[in-house]
Amino acid sequence: MENFLFSAGGGDEIGASCYYICLKGRNFLLDCGIRYMYKRQYPSLNELTNLMTMDTLNDLDGVFISHGHYDHNGALPLLASKLKNEKIEFMCSDLTGKLTEIQLNILKKHQEIKSYAIYEDINIERAIEKIKGYPTNERIDKRDYSFYFIKGGHIPGATMVYLEVEGKKILYTGDFSDIDYPLTPRYFIPRNIDLKNIDLLLINGTRAFNNEAIENKRRLKREINRIFGGIFFEGRILLEVTQINNGMEIAVLLNNHLDEKTWDKGDVKIYIDEAMYQMFQVVCGEEKFERIMPLSQLDMNSKEKHIIITMKGNRFKFSNYTMKYFSYSLHGSYRGLMDLILKIKAKKTFVVHVDQNQERKGDLVKELQEKGYDGATYIENEKIYEF
């Protein structure tokens, strides 16, 4: 087999995204993430060397990281611990590289953050040393292949990966969005990217079984009003998030709502974790968000109305707070998935990053077939798919 996909994680699930591609005899890994809630936390990296295309993981020609979420970059320290080939880079956009370094440092065991303290310092440092940032929308030529990073929306720094080897072309979307968010506009594929005759579209189909329209503005307004209703009555609100990026987005949403002054909310401050604040500064630069502050500046005895946004597992550090949950998805819509697939009409489309056990309110592949495109397939973990 010359061209095939093997999902070491993240195929028929949301978590541990890790996709091995053999393309014209070259070996690539697209993302390398962890699972959040299961005992089997890591992708099946050891299975890759049983495929007869690599003797060891040191035979990888390239490792691409689409964006800075733990289910896409959280297993990089594990991968780094298995590599002796110093030439292998963990390639990503410049911004994703900066954010990933901050994120990986949170995973050090001595940080003692429940559910996140999983690596020894040395493996974190090895992974960080291998991170290599590249510009977006520019062709990058390596010895045996070329690639582009294309802005994918979803979160700051997120990209699609356009990979070409000897005329064979792959587009991996990573998590992308067809919707504008406060910190990140929707995906944009520039005209200089040749979308004709794509051999494989590897698309993250989070909403592949949910064809309901995403009513972001209405839903977000409800969520925000619920948070500020809690502030009015309780004065001290604690929000936990599983992703630092989500925490940043929520902080900006709440800040912007306060700026609108649609009703008298008083002087409400928003405090965020130190690592979250580091990433916030990287993303927002000199832009002023005076209400958003690092958690270290909070006087725990203060009676001011305020909101804390922290990583999940930190709640035990805070007493006398009202816990709130903020339902906020940064993924694209069912219609956005459909439109991109039909626009490209790749020879093969593999749909990954799909929870096969979710309630089905639609079926992307079935509807594509009804529209005359029968090249799409849902992918299962640890199976080989030729293209």
Side-chain angles (χ1 to χ4, degrees):
M1 292 180 293
E2 190 177 37
N3 306 301
F4 68 90
L5 164 80
F6 179 89
S7 175
D12 49 6
E13 62 178 334
I14 296 175
S17 290
C18 187
Y19 312 111
Y20 168 75
I21 294 283
C22 181
L23 185 61
K24 302 291 285 187
R26 303 299 175 189
N27 305 298
F28 302 97
L29 208 58
L30 302 172
D31 283 338
C32 193
I34 56 176
R35 297 177 180 89
Y36 293 110
M37 299 181 293
Y38 305 104
K39 291 181 180 178
R40 190 183 177 196
Q41 194 163 29
Y42 304 103
S44 303
L45 293 178
N46 290 337
E47 293 297 320
L48 299 180
T49 55
N50 295 329
L51 297 174
M52 308 303 290
T53 50
M54 295 189 296
D55 293 324
T56 72
L57 292 172
N58 292 295
D59 294 326
L60 285 168
D61 292 284
V63 178
F64 296 93
I65 305 302
S66 63
H67 66 286
H69 273 163
Y70 284 133
D71 58 329
H72 294 264
N73 66 6
L76 289 177
L78 175 64
L79 176 59
S81 72
K82 298 176 179 292
L83 295 177
K84 296 181 180 179
N85 184 348
E86 296 181 359
K87 294 182 180 180
I88 296 177
E89 299 175 338
F90 298 163
M91 297 175 285
C92 56
S93 70
D94 288 319
L95 183 52
T96 292
K98 295 174 183 177
L99 301 183
T100 295
E101 180 173 350
I102 297 170
Q103 286 178 298
L104 293 185
N105 277 311
I106 292 174
L107 301 181
K108 290 179 177 178
K109 285 184 176 179
H110 75 261
Q111 297 284 9
E112 298 183 349
I113 301 176
K114 187 179 180 180
S115 301
Y116 292 89
I118 57 178
Y119 294 114
E120 300 295 342
D121 287 15
I122 187 170
N123 292 329
I124 298 288
E125 291 160 6
R126 285 174 177 169
I128 290 173
E129 286 175 0
K130 287 187 168 294
I131 295 171
K132 174 68 173 178
Y134 288 90
T136 56
N137 298 339
E138 289 187 19
R139 180 186 172 101
I140 307 297
D141 291 310
K142 295 291 187 176
R143 187 180 66 178
D144 298 312
Y145 62 93
S146 63
F147 69 90
Y148 290 85
F149 284 127
I150 302 167
K151 293 180 180 179
H154 186 55
I155 65 168
T159 62
M160 299 180 178
V161 180
Y162 179 95
L163 177 63
E164 184 171 356
V165 179
E166 297 179 18
K168 282 280 187 180
K169 296 181 289 187
I170 289 176
L171 179 64
Y172 169 52
T173 66
D175 285 347
F176 74 102
S177 178
D178 59 313
I179 300 165
D180 292 329
Y181 290 105
L183 290 178
T184 316
R186 58 168 290 166
Y187 80 90
F188 175 72
I189 302 177
R191 291 182 178 180
N192 64 310
I193 304 296
D194 182 13
L195 296 180
K196 296 179 180 179
N197 299 315
I198 297 287
D199 293 280
L200 173 64
L201 172 62
L202 185 62
I203 189 167
N204 282 22
T206 308
R207 297 182 65 86
F209 294 140
N210 188 346
N211 61 11
E212 293 180 337
I214 300 178
E215 298 179 349
N216 273 326
K217 291 184 179 180
R218 185 179 301 176
R219 179 171 56 80
L220 287 176
K221 187 175 182 179
R222 286 198 303 267
E223 292 286 319
I224 290 169
N225 284 336
R226 186 171 56 82
I227 298 300
F228 284 113
I231 278 288
F232 182 78
F233 289 107
E234 288 100 6
R236 294 153 64 98
I237 299 295
L238 179 66
L239 299 176
E240 281 192 327
V241 296
T242 57
Q243 297 280 9
I244 297 180
N245 310 76
N246 290 34
M248 290 193 301
E249 290 269 359
I250 292 169
V252 172
L253 279 168
L254 297 177
N255 179 87
N256 292 348
H257 192 67
L258 285 163
D259 283 344
E260 292 173 3
K261 298 184 183 298
T262 54
W263 51 287
D264 185 13
K265 312 173 193 68
D267 186 20
V268 179
K269 295 290 192 298
I270 302 166
Y271 295 94
I272 61 180
D273 279 349
E274 295 299 316
M276 200 179 295
Y277 192 73
Q278 290 178 41
M279 294 180 68
F280 179 76
Q281 289 180 307
V282 170
V283 172
C284 297
E286 297 300 319
E287 192 171 352
K288 297 297 183 182
F289 293 93
E290 295 181 357
R291 293 185 185 85
I292 301 175
M293 302 178 180
L295 192 51
S296 59
Q297 293 186 16
L298 172 64
D299 178 0
M300 298 299 291
N301 297 316
S302 172
K303 294 183 179 181
E304 69 174 1
K305 294 178 179 179
H306 63 272
I307 299 168
I308 291 177
I309 304 176
T310 186
M311 294 294 289
K312 187 176 181 180
N314 278 339
R315 73 175 69 179
F316 67 92
K317 297 179 180 179
F318 308 99
S319 58
N320 301 319
Y321 279 82
T322 301
M323 281 288 302
K324 297 284 185 179
Y325 298 92
F326 199 114
S327 177
Y328 186 54
S329 172
L330 298 167
H331 296 95
S333 66
Y334 181 94
R335 189 55 48 192
L337 293 171
M338 180 79 64
D339 290 346
L340 181 59
I341 292 171
L342 292 179
K343 177 181 179 180
I344 293 176
K345 288 188 176 178
K347 296 174 185 177
K348 287 285 184 70
T349 295
F350 292 160
V351 185
V352 296
H353 201 268
V354 180
D355 179 4
Q356 298 281 356
N357 296 316
Q358 67 180 285
E359 179 185 359
R360 301 199 179 193
K361 299 178 181 178
D363 189 324
L364 181 68
V365 168
K366 182 177 180 181
E367 188 172 340
L368 286 166
Q369 291 171 344
E370 292 170 353
K371 292 180 179 293
Y373 179 73
D374 60 1
T377 305
Y378 295 120
I379 298 302
E380 296 181 28
N381 287 338
E382 299 185 27
K383 291 186 177 181
I384 292 174
Y385 296 85
E386 294 186 76
F387 62 89

